[in-house]
Amino acid sequence: MPERRWIEELPRHAGQTVSVRGWVATTRSSGKIAFSCVRDGTGYLQAVISKKDGVARSLDAFGKLTQETSLELTGSVRPDARAPGGRRRLQSRT
């Protein structure tokens, strides 16, 4: 299991696999890809779940998320200026 990180630390871990705990702020989905804005008290990140990455089980669970659901995400950190709140993005692996 990757080491747990705070969202504010993620820019230093670009390209690495990390775990983040937080609360769902918003969600949206197009069927094949889903986005969730997650906060942890130090900042916000955009989590991305893609069907092509072989995480269909995660997409099913994503549909059950509501605002303020607590969760733990594990995935690779990818900087992306388009992500809400700056350059933090977590590409989900589970």
Side-chain angles (χ1 to χ4, degrees), residues 6-81:
W6 295 101
I7 291 173
E8 70 180 358
E9 299 173 355
L10 295 183
R12 295 190 304 259
H13 299 284
Q16 297 177 15
T17 299
V18 300
S19 288
V20 174
R21 294 180 188 157
W23 297 272
V24 173
T26 62
T27 60
R28 66 187 187 284
S29 175
S30 70
K32 293 183 181 181
I33 191 165
F35 302 92
S36 181
C37 187
V38 177
R39 64 180 181 81
D40 75 353
T42 68
Y44 288 82
L45 68 79
Q46 177 175 267
V48 180
I49 304 169
S50 174
K51 201 173 218 177
K52 72 175 182 165
D53 292 332
V55 291
R57 182 176 51 112
S58 295
L59 273 172
D60 292 338
F62 178 86
K64 298 174 185 168
L65 295 177
T66 59
Q67 190 173 25
E68 297 302 317
T69 299
S70 61
L71 50 79
E72 181 172 2
L73 301 167
T74 301
S76 58
V77 178
R78 295 186 184 172
D80 190 330

